[in-house]
mmCIF file of all heavy atoms in Angstrom:
data_model
loop_
_atom_site.group_PDB
_atom_site.id
_atom_site.type_symbol
_atom_site.label_atom_id
_atom_site.label_comp_id
_atom_site.label_asym_id
_atom_site.label_seq_id
_atom_site.Cartn_x
_atom_site.Cartn_y
_atom_site.Cartn_z
ATOM 1 N N LEU A 1 88.365 57.066 -25.976
ATOM 2 C CA LEU A 1 88.925 56.258 -27.051
ATOM 3 C C LEU A 1 89.077 57.103 -28.338
ATOM 4 O O LEU A 1 90.105 56.933 -28.933
ATOM 5 C CB LEU A 1 87.877 55.225 -27.368
ATOM 6 C CG LEU A 1 88.191 54.073 -28.471
ATOM 7 C CD1 LEU A 1 89.415 53.488 -28.286
ATOM 8 C CD2 LEU A 1 87.065 53.228 -28.731
ATOM 9 N N LYS A 2 88.234 58.006 -28.592
ATOM 10 C CA LYS A 2 88.316 58.832 -29.808
ATOM 11 C C LYS A 2 89.617 59.733 -29.701
ATOM 12 O O LYS A 2 90.329 59.933 -30.765
ATOM 13 C CB LYS A 2 87.065 59.645 -30.033
ATOM 14 C CG LYS A 2 85.830 58.846 -30.485
ATOM 15 C CD LYS A 2 84.733 59.791 -30.716
ATOM 16 C CE LYS A 2 83.442 59.051 -31.104
ATOM 17 N NZ LYS A 2 82.275 59.882 -31.357
ATOM 18 N N GLU A 3 89.849 60.284 -28.467
ATOM 19 C CA GLU A 3 91.024 61.157 -28.383
ATOM 20 C C GLU A 3 92.293 60.335 -28.547
ATOM 21 O O GLU A 3 93.257 60.877 -29.252
ATOM 22 C CB GLU A 3 90.929 61.776 -27.033
ATOM 23 C CG GLU A 3 89.924 62.874 -26.901
ATOM 24 C CD GLU A 3 89.989 63.467 -25.502
ATOM 25 O OE1 GLU A 3 90.884 63.165 -24.689
ATOM 26 O OE2 GLU A 3 89.079 64.476 -25.144
ATOM 27 N N GLU A 4 92.225 59.146 -27.986
ATOM 28 C CA GLU A 4 93.562 58.333 -28.016
ATOM 29 C C GLU A 4 93.795 57.864 -29.500
ATOM 30 O O GLU A 4 95.028 57.851 -30.029
ATOM 31 C CB GLU A 4 93.519 57.152 -27.144
ATOM 32 C CG GLU A 4 93.438 57.449 -25.599
ATOM 33 C CD GLU A 4 94.755 58.155 -25.246
ATOM 34 O OE1 GLU A 4 95.935 57.850 -25.714
ATOM 35 O OE2 GLU A 4 94.770 58.945 -24.363
ATOM 36 N N VAL A 5 92.820 57.592 -30.272
ATOM 37 C CA VAL A 5 92.807 57.127 -31.589
ATOM 38 C C VAL A 5 93.315 58.309 -32.554
ATOM 39 O O VAL A 5 94.161 58.238 -33.226
ATOM 40 C CB VAL A 5 91.596 56.521 -32.136
ATOM 41 C CG1 VAL A 5 91.650 56.354 -33.681
ATOM 42 C CG2 VAL A 5 91.289 55.200 -31.521
ATOM 43 N N ALA A 6 92.728 59.508 -32.155
ATOM 44 C CA ALA A 6 93.071 60.638 -32.914
ATOM 45 C C ALA A 6 94.481 61.084 -32.795
ATOM 46 O O ALA A 6 95.284 61.445 -33.725
ATOM 47 C CB ALA A 6 92.177 61.841 -32.548
ATOM 48 N N ARG A 7 94.970 60.879 -31.468
ATOM 49 C CA ARG A 7 96.355 61.266 -31.136
ATOM 50 C C ARG A 7 97.326 60.371 -32.034
ATOM 51 O O ARG A 7 98.388 60.823 -32.397
ATOM 52 C CB ARG A 7 96.571 60.957 -29.606
ATOM 53 C CG ARG A 7 97.990 61.318 -29.039
ATOM 54 C CD ARG A 7 97.876 61.026 -27.639
ATOM 55 N NE ARG A 7 99.016 61.179 -26.867
ATOM 56 C CZ ARG A 7 99.251 60.977 -25.578
ATOM 57 N NH1 ARG A 7 98.147 60.679 -24.782
ATOM 58 N NH2 ARG A 7 100.413 61.105 -24.965
ATOM 59 N N LEU A 8 97.024 59.042 -32.128
ATOM 60 C CA LEU A 8 97.905 58.274 -32.968
ATOM 61 C C LEU A 8 97.830 58.488 -34.446
ATOM 62 O O LEU A 8 98.799 58.541 -35.182
ATOM 63 C CB LEU A 8 97.587 56.762 -32.747
ATOM 64 C CG LEU A 8 97.972 56.304 -31.281
ATOM 65 C CD1 LEU A 8 97.251 54.909 -30.953
ATOM 66 C CD2 LEU A 8 99.520 56.187 -31.147
ATOM 67 N N ASN A 9 96.574 58.656 -34.868
ATOM 68 C CA ASN A 9 96.377 58.896 -36.208
ATOM 69 C C ASN A 9 96.954 60.320 -36.760
ATOM 70 O O ASN A 9 97.384 60.340 -37.868
ATOM 71 C CB ASN A 9 94.777 59.058 -36.568
ATOM 72 C CG ASN A 9 94.016 57.737 -36.540
ATOM 73 O OD1 ASN A 9 94.720 56.665 -36.505
ATOM 74 N ND2 ASN A 9 92.875 57.726 -36.385
ATOM 75 N N ALA A 10 96.951 61.335 -35.911
ATOM 76 C CA ALA A 10 97.552 62.626 -36.244
ATOM 77 C C ALA A 10 99.090 62.414 -36.527
ATOM 78 O O ALA A 10 99.619 63.048 -37.360
ATOM 79 C CB ALA A 10 97.316 63.475 -34.974
ATOM 80 N N ARG A 11 99.644 61.340 -35.849
ATOM 81 C CA ARG A 11 101.113 61.147 -36.160
ATOM 82 C C ARG A 11 101.338 60.167 -37.278
ATOM 83 O O ARG A 11 102.460 59.671 -37.518
ATOM 84 C CB ARG A 11 101.865 60.696 -34.750
ATOM 85 C CG ARG A 11 101.725 61.810 -33.811
ATOM 86 C CD ARG A 11 102.658 61.449 -32.510
ATOM 87 N NE ARG A 11 104.128 61.209 -33.074
ATOM 88 C CZ ARG A 11 104.902 60.681 -32.243
ATOM 89 N NH1 ARG A 11 104.689 60.276 -31.050
ATOM 90 N NH2 ARG A 11 106.200 60.429 -32.645
ATOM 91 N N LYS A 12 100.180 59.698 -37.819
ATOM 92 C CA LYS A 12 100.282 58.701 -38.985
ATOM 93 C C LYS A 12 100.928 57.419 -38.521
ATOM 94 O O LYS A 12 101.653 56.669 -39.200
ATOM 95 C CB LYS A 12 100.952 59.305 -40.148
ATOM 96 C CG LYS A 12 100.281 60.419 -40.691
ATOM 97 C CD LYS A 12 100.871 61.072 -41.880
ATOM 98 C CE LYS A 12 100.220 62.287 -42.498
ATOM 99 N NZ LYS A 12 100.690 62.814 -43.704
ATOM 100 N N ILE A 13 100.591 57.031 -37.275
ATOM 101 C CA ILE A 13 101.174 55.799 -36.728
ATOM 102 C C ILE A 13 100.161 54.605 -36.913
ATOM 103 O O ILE A 13 98.957 54.850 -36.677
ATOM 104 C CB ILE A 13 101.566 55.863 -35.153
ATOM 105 C CG1 ILE A 13 102.401 57.006 -34.926
ATOM 106 C CG2 ILE A 13 101.851 54.526 -34.612
ATOM 107 C CD1 ILE A 13 102.638 57.325 -33.408
ATOM 108 N N LEU A 14 100.550 53.576 -37.498
ATOM 109 C CA LEU A 14 99.645 52.343 -37.761
ATOM 110 C C LEU A 14 99.623 51.545 -36.510
ATOM 111 O O LEU A 14 100.553 51.155 -35.949
ATOM 112 C CB LEU A 14 100.191 51.400 -38.807
ATOM 113 C CG LEU A 14 100.201 52.178 -40.299
ATOM 114 C CD1 LEU A 14 100.791 51.146 -41.231
ATOM 115 C CD2 LEU A 14 98.930 52.725 -40.657
ATOM 116 N N HIS A 15 98.346 51.515 -35.876
ATOM 117 C CA HIS A 15 98.223 51.062 -34.433
ATOM 118 C C HIS A 15 97.080 50.015 -34.395
ATOM 119 O O HIS A 15 96.378 49.738 -35.359
ATOM 120 C CB HIS A 15 98.039 52.197 -33.572
ATOM 121 C CG HIS A 15 96.855 52.990 -33.805
ATOM 122 N ND1 HIS A 15 95.562 52.599 -33.392
ATOM 123 C CD2 HIS A 15 96.602 54.104 -34.633
ATOM 124 C CE1 HIS A 15 94.591 53.466 -33.747
ATOM 125 N NE2 HIS A 15 95.295 54.354 -34.580
ATOM 126 N N GLY A 16 96.833 49.515 -33.224
ATOM 127 C CA GLY A 16 95.758 48.494 -33.152
ATOM 128 C C GLY A 16 94.768 48.877 -32.114
ATOM 129 O O GLY A 16 93.984 48.021 -31.662
ATOM 130 N N ILE A 17 94.491 50.260 -31.805
ATOM 131 C CA ILE A 17 93.600 50.606 -30.831
ATOM 132 C C ILE A 17 92.192 50.760 -31.495
ATOM 133 O O ILE A 17 91.975 51.592 -32.426
ATOM 134 C CB ILE A 17 93.914 52.005 -30.010
ATOM 135 C CG1 ILE A 17 95.227 51.752 -29.291
ATOM 136 C CG2 ILE A 17 92.792 52.432 -29.316
ATOM 137 C CD1 ILE A 17 95.603 52.972 -28.446
ATOM 138 N N ARG A 18 91.367 49.842 -31.219
ATOM 139 C CA ARG A 18 89.942 49.761 -31.882
ATOM 140 C C ARG A 18 88.973 49.798 -30.919
ATOM 141 O O ARG A 18 87.763 50.482 -31.126
ATOM 142 C CB ARG A 18 89.843 48.553 -32.727
ATOM 143 C CG ARG A 18 90.997 48.315 -33.712
ATOM 144 C CD ARG A 18 90.749 49.062 -34.974
ATOM 145 N NE ARG A 18 91.787 48.878 -35.997
ATOM 146 C CZ ARG A 18 92.890 49.475 -36.092
ATOM 147 N NH1 ARG A 18 93.406 50.335 -35.083
ATOM 148 N NH2 ARG A 18 93.783 49.284 -36.978
ATOM 149 N N ARG A 19 89.063 49.182 -29.708
ATOM 150 C CA ARG A 19 87.985 49.083 -28.722
ATOM 151 C C ARG A 19 88.413 49.768 -27.481
ATOM 152 O O ARG A 19 89.605 49.883 -27.171
ATOM 153 C CB ARG A 19 87.656 47.521 -28.410
ATOM 154 C CG ARG A 19 87.292 46.849 -29.795
ATOM 155 C CD ARG A 19 87.202 45.429 -29.605
ATOM 156 N NE ARG A 19 88.373 44.751 -29.150
ATOM 157 C CZ ARG A 19 89.468 44.373 -29.980
ATOM 158 N NH1 ARG A 19 89.219 44.570 -31.279
ATOM 159 N NH2 ARG A 19 90.543 43.946 -29.365
ATOM 160 N N ARG A 20 87.409 49.864 -26.526
ATOM 161 C CA ARG A 20 87.693 50.447 -25.163
ATOM 162 C C ARG A 20 88.789 49.593 -24.511
ATOM 163 O O ARG A 20 89.572 50.156 -23.675
ATOM 164 C CB ARG A 20 86.452 50.588 -24.448
ATOM 165 C CG ARG A 20 86.730 51.086 -22.873
ATOM 166 C CD ARG A 20 85.516 51.793 -22.481
ATOM 167 N NE ARG A 20 85.239 53.113 -22.986
ATOM 168 C CZ ARG A 20 85.811 54.165 -22.777
ATOM 169 N NH1 ARG A 20 86.730 54.163 -21.841
ATOM 170 N NH2 ARG A 20 85.504 55.425 -23.412
ATOM 171 N N SER A 21 88.635 48.335 -24.641
ATOM 172 C CA SER A 21 89.674 47.432 -23.906
ATOM 173 C C SER A 21 91.033 47.660 -24.321
ATOM 174 O O SER A 21 91.985 47.353 -23.577
ATOM 175 C CB SER A 21 89.270 45.916 -24.224
ATOM 176 O OG SER A 21 89.295 45.683 -25.492
ATOM 177 N N ASP A 22 91.326 48.227 -25.485
ATOM 178 C CA ASP A 22 92.634 48.463 -25.960
ATOM 179 C C ASP A 22 93.306 49.669 -25.335
ATOM 180 O O ASP A 22 94.474 49.860 -25.399
ATOM 181 C CB ASP A 22 92.523 48.806 -27.535
ATOM 182 C CG ASP A 22 92.187 47.650 -28.307
ATOM 183 O OD1 ASP A 22 92.401 46.366 -27.964
ATOM 184 O OD2 ASP A 22 91.407 47.762 -29.372
ATOM 185 N N LEU A 23 92.475 50.377 -24.591
ATOM 186 C CA LEU A 23 92.992 51.646 -24.017
ATOM 187 C C LEU A 23 94.004 51.335 -22.862
ATOM 188 O O LEU A 23 94.716 52.259 -22.373
ATOM 189 C CB LEU A 23 91.825 52.423 -23.348
ATOM 190 C CG LEU A 23 90.940 53.094 -24.347
ATOM 191 C CD1 LEU A 23 89.740 53.844 -23.806
ATOM 192 C CD2 LEU A 23 91.657 54.204 -25.184
ATOM 193 N N GLU A 24 94.137 50.086 -22.265
ATOM 194 C CA GLU A 24 94.973 49.690 -21.272
ATOM 195 C C GLU A 24 96.490 50.106 -21.755
ATOM 196 O O GLU A 24 97.334 50.161 -21.038
ATOM 197 C CB GLU A 24 94.852 48.398 -20.773
ATOM 198 C CG GLU A 24 95.046 47.332 -21.788
ATOM 199 C CD GLU A 24 94.857 45.922 -21.194
ATOM 200 O OE1 GLU A 24 94.020 45.705 -20.242
ATOM 201 O OE2 GLU A 24 95.516 45.054 -21.578
ATOM 202 N N GLU A 25 96.604 50.026 -23.222
ATOM 203 C CA GLU A 25 98.024 50.235 -23.766
ATOM 204 C C GLU A 25 97.895 51.534 -24.636
ATOM 205 O O GLU A 25 98.732 51.747 -25.448
ATOM 206 C CB GLU A 25 98.338 49.061 -24.588
ATOM 207 C CG GLU A 25 98.889 47.824 -23.859
ATOM 208 C CD GLU A 25 99.967 48.136 -22.874
ATOM 209 O OE1 GLU A 25 100.916 48.754 -23.293
ATOM 210 O OE2 GLU A 25 99.978 47.859 -21.666
ATOM 211 N N ALA A 26 96.973 52.455 -24.329
ATOM 212 C CA ALA A 26 96.966 53.657 -25.108
ATOM 213 C C ALA A 26 98.073 54.655 -24.486
ATOM 214 O O ALA A 26 98.568 54.574 -23.422
ATOM 215 C CB ALA A 26 95.581 54.348 -25.006
ATOM 216 N N PRO A 27 98.545 55.580 -25.387
ATOM 217 C CA PRO A 27 99.553 56.512 -24.922
ATOM 218 C C PRO A 27 99.263 57.227 -23.660
ATOM 219 O O PRO A 27 100.137 57.432 -22.925
ATOM 220 C CB PRO A 27 99.718 57.433 -26.183
ATOM 221 C CG PRO A 27 99.351 56.567 -27.356
ATOM 222 C CD PRO A 27 98.184 55.656 -26.834
ATOM 223 N N GLY A 28 98.029 57.501 -23.429
ATOM 224 C CA GLY A 28 97.651 58.200 -22.295
ATOM 225 C C GLY A 28 97.762 57.441 -20.910
ATOM 226 O O GLY A 28 97.539 58.010 -19.978
ATOM 227 N N ALA A 29 98.018 56.183 -21.078
ATOM 228 C CA ALA A 29 98.169 55.416 -19.816
ATOM 229 C C ALA A 29 99.648 55.514 -19.373
ATOM 230 O O ALA A 29 100.034 54.929 -18.286
ATOM 231 C CB ALA A 29 97.928 53.998 -20.258
ATOM 232 N N TYR A 30 100.626 56.045 -20.199
ATOM 233 C CA TYR A 30 101.957 56.071 -19.849
ATOM 234 C C TYR A 30 102.408 57.425 -19.466
ATOM 235 O O TYR A 30 101.941 58.434 -19.911
ATOM 236 C CB TYR A 30 102.736 55.588 -21.099
ATOM 237 C CG TYR A 30 102.625 54.099 -21.030
ATOM 238 C CD1 TYR A 30 101.544 53.409 -21.716
ATOM 239 C CD2 TYR A 30 103.509 53.070 -20.468
ATOM 240 C CE1 TYR A 30 101.387 52.106 -21.823
ATOM 241 C CE2 TYR A 30 103.414 51.933 -20.535
ATOM 242 C CZ TYR A 30 102.351 51.300 -21.240
ATOM 243 O OH TYR A 30 102.170 49.788 -21.206
ATOM 244 N N LYS A 31 103.507 57.481 -18.705
ATOM 245 C CA LYS A 31 104.161 58.641 -18.416
ATOM 246 C C LYS A 31 104.845 59.298 -19.674
ATOM 247 O O LYS A 31 105.109 58.652 -20.651
ATOM 248 C CB LYS A 31 105.386 58.427 -17.350
ATOM 249 C CG LYS A 31 104.747 58.047 -15.995
ATOM 250 C CD LYS A 31 105.973 57.735 -15.028
ATOM 251 C CE LYS A 31 105.437 57.119 -13.777
ATOM 252 N NZ LYS A 31 106.521 57.055 -12.761
ATOM 253 N N ASP A 32 105.218 60.678 -19.597
ATOM 254 C CA ASP A 32 105.862 61.391 -20.657
ATOM 255 C C ASP A 32 107.308 60.815 -20.730
ATOM 256 O O ASP A 32 108.241 61.072 -19.851
ATOM 257 C CB ASP A 32 105.933 62.890 -20.412
ATOM 258 C CG ASP A 32 106.625 63.710 -21.297
ATOM 259 O OD1 ASP A 32 107.157 63.098 -22.343
ATOM 260 O OD2 ASP A 32 106.546 64.937 -21.129
ATOM 261 N N ILE A 33 107.567 60.085 -21.845
ATOM 262 C CA ILE A 33 108.846 59.476 -22.005
ATOM 263 C C ILE A 33 110.087 60.591 -22.058
ATOM 264 O O ILE A 33 111.173 60.251 -21.557
ATOM 265 C CB ILE A 33 108.948 58.543 -23.238
ATOM 266 C CG1 ILE A 33 110.258 57.794 -23.354
ATOM 267 C CG2 ILE A 33 108.722 59.406 -24.510
ATOM 268 C CD1 ILE A 33 110.482 56.709 -22.263
ATOM 269 N N ALA A 34 109.832 61.802 -22.681
ATOM 270 C CA ALA A 34 110.874 62.775 -22.646
ATOM 271 C C ALA A 34 111.250 63.128 -21.241
ATOM 272 O O ALA A 34 112.497 63.343 -20.944
ATOM 273 C CB ALA A 34 110.330 64.016 -23.456
ATOM 274 N N ARG A 35 110.189 63.225 -20.356
ATOM 275 C CA ARG A 35 110.573 63.640 -18.951
ATOM 276 C C ARG A 35 111.327 62.491 -18.226
ATOM 277 O O ARG A 35 112.289 62.746 -17.562
ATOM 278 C CB ARG A 35 109.400 64.000 -18.189
ATOM 279 C CG ARG A 35 109.565 64.431 -16.792
ATOM 280 C CD ARG A 35 108.274 64.761 -15.959
ATOM 281 N NE ARG A 35 108.512 65.048 -14.548
ATOM 282 C CZ ARG A 35 107.564 65.245 -13.802
ATOM 283 N NH1 ARG A 35 106.314 64.894 -14.082
ATOM 284 N NH2 ARG A 35 107.852 65.662 -12.442
ATOM 285 N N VAL A 36 110.920 61.177 -18.581
ATOM 286 C CA VAL A 36 111.554 60.089 -17.964
ATOM 287 C C VAL A 36 113.087 60.086 -18.334
ATOM 288 O O VAL A 36 113.913 59.813 -17.515
ATOM 289 C CB VAL A 36 110.872 58.776 -18.460
ATOM 290 C CG1 VAL A 36 111.691 57.541 -17.982
ATOM 291 C CG2 VAL A 36 109.460 58.645 -17.772
ATOM 292 N N ILE A 37 113.278 60.349 -19.487
ATOM 293 C CA ILE A 37 114.718 60.487 -20.121
ATOM 294 C C ILE A 37 115.421 61.615 -19.367
ATOM 295 O O ILE A 37 116.626 61.366 -18.936
ATOM 296 C CB ILE A 37 114.691 60.528 -21.660
ATOM 297 C CG1 ILE A 37 114.226 59.298 -22.315
ATOM 298 C CG2 ILE A 37 116.129 60.751 -22.179
ATOM 299 C CD1 ILE A 37 115.100 58.067 -22.053
ATOM 300 N N ASP A 38 114.816 62.739 -19.337
ATOM 301 C CA ASP A 38 115.502 63.916 -18.755
ATOM 302 C C ASP A 38 115.838 63.633 -17.277
ATOM 303 O O ASP A 38 116.870 64.110 -16.842
ATOM 304 C CB ASP A 38 114.618 65.007 -18.789
ATOM 305 C CG ASP A 38 114.658 65.704 -20.256
ATOM 306 O OD1 ASP A 38 115.582 65.512 -21.071
ATOM 307 O OD2 ASP A 38 113.764 66.454 -20.578
ATOM 308 N N ASN A 39 115.043 62.833 -16.635
ATOM 309 C CA ASN A 39 115.205 62.516 -15.130
ATOM 310 C C ASN A 39 116.371 61.756 -14.920
ATOM 311 O O ASN A 39 116.773 61.570 -13.697
ATOM 312 C CB ASN A 39 113.989 61.969 -14.469
ATOM 313 C CG ASN A 39 112.968 63.145 -14.208
ATOM 314 O OD1 ASN A 39 113.147 64.288 -14.267
ATOM 315 N ND2 ASN A 39 111.776 62.625 -13.927
ATOM 316 N N GLN A 40 116.970 61.044 -15.925
ATOM 317 C CA GLN A 40 118.071 60.067 -15.769
ATOM 318 C C GLN A 40 119.274 60.430 -16.612
ATOM 319 O O GLN A 40 119.923 59.657 -17.013
ATOM 320 C CB GLN A 40 117.455 58.813 -15.966
ATOM 321 C CG GLN A 40 117.033 58.421 -17.362
ATOM 322 C CD GLN A 40 116.375 57.059 -17.494
ATOM 323 O OE1 GLN A 40 116.826 55.931 -16.940
ATOM 324 N NE2 GLN A 40 115.232 56.858 -18.121
ATOM 325 N N ARG A 41 119.501 61.685 -16.760
ATOM 326 C CA ARG A 41 120.688 62.099 -17.714
ATOM 327 C C ARG A 41 121.884 61.803 -16.985
ATOM 328 O O ARG A 41 123.024 61.810 -17.654
ATOM 329 C CB ARG A 41 120.451 63.628 -18.006
ATOM 330 C CG ARG A 41 119.398 63.973 -18.800
ATOM 331 C CD ARG A 41 119.628 63.569 -20.390
ATOM 332 N NE ARG A 41 118.450 64.022 -21.195
ATOM 333 C CZ ARG A 41 118.446 63.767 -22.429
ATOM 334 N NH1 ARG A 41 119.357 63.161 -23.173
ATOM 335 N NH2 ARG A 41 117.362 64.224 -23.220
ATOM 336 N N ASP A 42 121.916 61.525 -15.667
ATOM 337 C CA ASP A 42 123.136 61.071 -14.945
ATOM 338 C C ASP A 42 123.336 59.654 -15.080
ATOM 339 O O ASP A 42 124.409 59.121 -14.486
ATOM 340 C CB ASP A 42 122.981 61.671 -13.486
ATOM 341 C CG ASP A 42 121.923 61.028 -12.712
ATOM 342 O OD1 ASP A 42 120.800 60.770 -13.394
ATOM 343 O OD2 ASP A 42 121.931 61.019 -11.484
ATOM 344 N N LEU A 43 122.423 58.859 -15.688
ATOM 345 C CA LEU A 43 122.486 57.482 -15.730
ATOM 346 C C LEU A 43 122.831 56.973 -17.165
ATOM 347 O O LEU A 43 123.468 56.035 -17.435
ATOM 348 C CB LEU A 43 121.300 56.718 -15.335
ATOM 349 C CG LEU A 43 120.704 57.107 -14.012
ATOM 350 C CD1 LEU A 43 119.328 56.374 -13.680
ATOM 351 C CD2 LEU A 43 121.702 56.961 -12.917
ATOM 352 N N ILE A 44 122.414 57.677 -18.167
ATOM 353 C CA ILE A 44 122.436 57.257 -19.648
ATOM 354 C C ILE A 44 122.701 58.596 -20.458
ATOM 355 O O ILE A 44 122.364 59.674 -20.249
ATOM 356 C CB ILE A 44 121.266 56.543 -20.077
ATOM 357 C CG1 ILE A 44 119.925 57.142 -19.691
ATOM 358 C CG2 ILE A 44 121.196 55.159 -19.414
ATOM 359 C CD1 ILE A 44 119.337 58.197 -20.826
ATOM 360 N N GLU A 45 123.136 58.313 -21.601
ATOM 361 C CA GLU A 45 123.143 59.224 -22.737
ATOM 362 C C GLU A 45 122.481 58.731 -23.850
ATOM 363 O O GLU A 45 122.448 57.514 -24.170
ATOM 364 C CB GLU A 45 124.661 59.651 -23.148
ATOM 365 C CG GLU A 45 125.462 58.570 -23.696
ATOM 366 C CD GLU A 45 126.940 59.036 -24.054
ATOM 367 O OE1 GLU A 45 127.057 60.285 -24.041
ATOM 368 O OE2 GLU A 45 127.736 58.089 -24.337
ATOM 369 N N VAL A 46 121.583 59.482 -24.524
ATOM 370 C CA VAL A 46 120.886 58.952 -25.693
ATOM 371 C C VAL A 46 121.788 58.869 -27.047
ATOM 372 O O VAL A 46 122.559 59.703 -27.322
ATOM 373 C CB VAL A 46 119.681 59.940 -26.033
ATOM 374 C CG1 VAL A 46 119.072 59.604 -27.353
ATOM 375 C CG2 VAL A 46 118.738 59.995 -24.845
ATOM 376 N N VAL A 47 121.622 57.664 -27.548
ATOM 377 C CA VAL A 47 122.351 57.424 -28.958
ATOM 378 C C VAL A 47 121.617 57.645 -30.020
ATOM 379 O O VAL A 47 122.035 58.341 -31.055
ATOM 380 C CB VAL A 47 122.957 56.006 -28.797
ATOM 381 C CG1 VAL A 47 123.623 55.564 -30.005
ATOM 382 C CG2 VAL A 47 123.848 55.694 -27.542
ATOM 383 N N VAL A 48 120.347 57.009 -30.112
ATOM 384 C CA VAL A 48 119.499 57.318 -31.087
ATOM 385 C C VAL A 48 117.974 57.438 -30.601
ATOM 386 O O VAL A 48 117.559 56.593 -29.828
ATOM 387 C CB VAL A 48 119.436 56.190 -32.206
ATOM 388 C CG1 VAL A 48 118.563 56.552 -33.511
ATOM 389 C CG2 VAL A 48 120.860 55.893 -32.722
#
């Protein structure tokens, strides 16, 4: 919990992670979005 909160606070993102139950939507629960985008460069181009 402390690591996930620190990760968001370091980027100055206002978030709602307060309790252990909130960790189901923590950044660490998700894949690396940059890699996901790179893996589908033949499907899409990034606009913004």
Side-chain angles (χ1 to χ4, degrees):
L1 180 60
K2 289 183 179 179
E3 287 183 6
E4 293 296 327
V5 169
R7 180 176 175 180
L8 291 164
N9 290 346
R11 297 189 60 191
K12 298 181 179 179
I13 300 168
L14 299 181
H15 61 89
I17 295 184
R18 303 286 184 270
R19 302 172 299 275
R20 176 156 291 279
S21 60
D22 298 328
L23 288 173
E24 64 180 33
E25 286 300 316
Y30 284 86
K31 297 181 181 183
D32 178 358
I33 186 64
R35 183 181 180 190
V36 169
I37 293 295
D38 283 342
N39 282 348
Q40 54 186 325
R41 293 288 182 178
D42 57 336
L43 306 182
I44 49 96
E45 59 181 352
V46 173
V47 178
V48 184

